[in-house]
Amino acid sequence: RWYEVTGVQTCALPISGAEVINLGVNAKKIKYIRSRMKKDLPRLRPTHVIVNSVQNNRDLSDKKVRKQFVEALDLCRQYDVRPVLVLEPSYDLICRTHGGTKKVRQHRAQLEAKYALLRELARERGVLLIDPAPVFQAHREEFLFLDGNVHFTKYGHALMAQALADGLFPPVP
């Protein structure tokens, strides 16, 4: 039983027999997501929680983001739920890898700093971290993002679902 709470639109996982509860919310920061988790985890009792909220937290201090993500991970531990952190793909990191306006360069720098923070947090806490960027970079010539390059197209959603499934259930050698 999967519970997905995200800061961006995302997708149901293509996993046979999996129950996915997508309570994703757009344009919310981790503080709001954490408050939702406090109410929803005891009630829904999922086995896993997918947290995908980087873009909306990029302007917060690293200290504040770290504290709030640690609190979210502690909530998962409290309810015996396996957390999964996801580094949501960004148009500016996938399709505009260098150059751009000052605002674009600042956006990339903020995201890269938050991605580094979450990678470190995942290592420290032994939490699965999924980075869909390689899959998105391999398909960057496709139509992946729409409306201001923030939200996924149908194809972007399908790639995200595949990246999540691959990260959660890697092939057995």
Side-chain angles (χ1 to χ4, degrees):
R1 187 167 199 187
W2 298 80
Y3 170 83
E4 182 175 25
V5 57
T6 65
V8 297
Q9 294 175 345
T10 188
C11 46
L13 296 170
I15 303 165
S16 177
E19 178 185 6
V20 178
I21 306 163
N22 187 339
L23 296 177
V25 290
N26 287 332
K28 296 294 183 183
K29 296 183 186 292
I30 187 65
K31 182 178 180 179
Y32 174 81
I33 291 169
R34 199 182 69 243
S35 72
R36 282 281 302 274
M37 288 172 65
K38 282 181 183 179
K39 289 187 271 184
D40 292 342
L41 292 183
R43 181 173 58 87
L44 299 172
R45 295 289 186 193
T47 57
H48 294 71
V49 172
I50 298 171
V51 181
N52 176 17
S53 180
V54 179
Q55 294 266 5
N56 297 326
N57 294 288
R58 71 182 183 277
D59 59 338
L60 300 178
S61 72
D62 286 355
K63 183 179 178 179
K64 189 175 222 170
V65 170
R66 181 180 183 76
K67 178 183 182 290
Q68 292 177 1
F69 270 89
V70 164
E71 289 172 0
L73 295 176
D74 288 346
L75 262 176
C76 289
R77 185 179 307 122
Q78 178 182 341
Y79 291 101
D80 198 28
V81 174
R82 182 178 177 204
V84 179
L85 296 177
V86 178
L87 303 180
E88 67 198 70
S90 162
Y91 180 85
D92 287 336
L93 292 175
I94 302 297
C95 302
R96 282 193 269 206
T97 54
H98 27 315
T101 65
K102 181 179 179 181
K103 185 177 179 178
V104 168
R105 291 191 309 272
Q106 180 182 12
H107 182 241
R108 273 200 309 266
Q110 289 172 323
L111 285 175
E112 287 169 346
K114 296 306 181 266
Y115 290 169
L117 186 150
L118 290 182
R119 282 186 182 98
E120 180 183 311
L121 190 57
R123 270 192 309 275
E124 289 172 5
R125 296 288 184 119
V127 171
L128 176 63
L129 180 120
I130 298 174
D131 183 357
V135 172
F136 274 72
Q137 287 166 343
H139 296 273
R140 72 174 159 258
E141 300 302 320
E142 305 294 330
F143 183 49
L144 302 174
F145 300 91
L146 29 102
D147 66 5
N149 303 319
V150 175
H151 299 108
F152 297 142
T153 62
K154 184 177 181 179
Y155 187 60
H157 279 281
L159 274 182
M160 184 64 157
Q162 189 60 56
L164 290 173
D166 291 348
L168 293 166
F169 306 102
V172 178

